[in-house]
Amino acid sequence: GKDIPKQYLRIGGKSIISHTIGKFISSDLFEKVIVLTPHDWIDYTKEIIENDIKNNADIIVIPGGELRNDTIMNGIDYIEKHYDVKSKKLYAMGHSLGAYMLGATAHLFDYIDRILLINPATGLEQNEFSNMSERDKNKNIILIGDKDPSYDNYNEYSKYAKFHIIKRADHHFSQDISR
C-alpha cells in the first residue's frame, strides 16, 4: 500500500485536511473551497471530505500538477475557467514551498485579494518575497512557528506582510508544550 500523506492523518476522529477545510467552509468569507491534490489521491480526498464534512457541496477537489508550480497553475486555470474573476476576489493559502511560491507570484493576479503563507520554505531566493511589496501589506499574512527555520527571516518577511507567530511550533505546527 501507499504511505498516507500527513494531511490524511486523523486527529479527533477527522483527517487533518478535513479540519482545515472545515474551518474555511464554515466562514462566510468563502463561497467555495478548492482543494488541489495529487491525481492518485483525488478519489481518497473526495471520500475523506464526504465522510468528515457534512456540508461539503461547496468543496471542489481537482488534480494538482506534477510539480508544485503546476499545482498552483492548475488551480488558477480552474478558477479562470469557472468563475468571473473580474467580479470575485480570491483568498489563497499555501504551506512551505506552496507558501513561498504563492508569495512570489500573487502579485501577477489582480483577483488574488488576500494570501496566507504558512511557514514559507527557506533556503531559496529570499528576495522573491520582494514581489509582495507590489501588494497591500495588510492583505499578505504570514503565519509562522517560532521553531520553524523560516522564523529566522522575520525581519525580511515583516516588510511585506502582517506577521503572526505561533509559540513553540515547528514546521508542521506540532508543539512541545512541556517547555
Side-chain angles (χ1 to χ4, degrees):
K2 298 178 188 174
D3 290 331
I4 301 287
K6 63 184 172 282
Q7 63 265 33
Y8 300 116
L9 297 177
R10 298 187 79 73
I11 297 174
K14 281 186 177 180
S15 65
I16 292 171
I17 195 169
S18 294
H19 282 288
T20 304
I21 294 167
K23 294 293 183 189
F24 287 107
I25 208 70
S26 67
S27 171
D28 292 338
L29 293 173
F30 303 100
E31 186 178 311
K32 301 279 185 193
V33 174
I34 301 170
V35 179
L36 290 100
T37 189
H39 191 270
D40 291 348
W41 290 92
I42 288 178
D43 291 337
Y44 189 74
T45 302
K46 287 179 179 178
E47 180 182 325
I48 289 279
I49 290 168
E50 204 170 284
N51 291 332
D52 288 354
I53 302 173
K54 290 179 187 176
N55 299 322
N56 57 36
D58 292 326
I59 303 168
I60 301 162
V61 179
I62 63 172
E66 189 71 27
L67 303 172
R68 284 187 173 97
N69 192 49
D70 300 330
T71 298
I72 291 171
M73 293 314 298
N74 283 358
I76 296 293
D77 288 345
Y78 181 88
I79 290 163
E80 288 178 347
K81 286 177 186 168
H82 293 88
Y83 297 95
D84 176 11
V85 294
K86 290 180 176 78
S87 67
K88 302 279 184 193
K89 292 295 179 187
L90 178 70
Y91 291 15
M93 182 210 58
H95 174 256
S96 193
L97 186 56
Y100 172 84
M101 294 171 69
L102 182 58
T105 60
H107 71 286
L108 300 173
F109 305 95
D110 58 358
Y111 54 86
I112 297 180
D113 185 45
R114 296 182 189 271
I115 59 173
L116 172 61
L117 311 179
I118 303 172
N119 285 337
T122 59
L124 304 166
E125 294 291 328
Q126 291 304 321
N127 64 0
E128 288 295 324
F129 281 105
S130 65
N131 292 332
M132 290 192 332
S133 67
E134 297 178 32
R135 298 174 38 81
D136 178 348
K137 179 178 178 175
N138 292 318
K139 294 185 176 194
N140 301 328
I141 302 164
I142 296 179
L143 180 65
I144 201 162
D146 68 354
K147 303 293 183 204
D148 185 74
S150 58
Y151 179 76
D152 295 339
N153 297 311
Y154 170 80
N155 288 332
E156 182 67 19
Y157 295 154
S158 63
K159 294 177 194 173
Y160 310 114
K162 290 169 53 176
F163 208 88
H164 301 278
I165 300 168
I166 306 299
K167 297 291 184 192
R168 298 184 310 271
D170 63 14
H171 191 67
H172 300 289
F173 288 98
S174 50
Q175 292 178 312
D176 179 3
I177 57 174
S178 65
R179 291 192 254 160

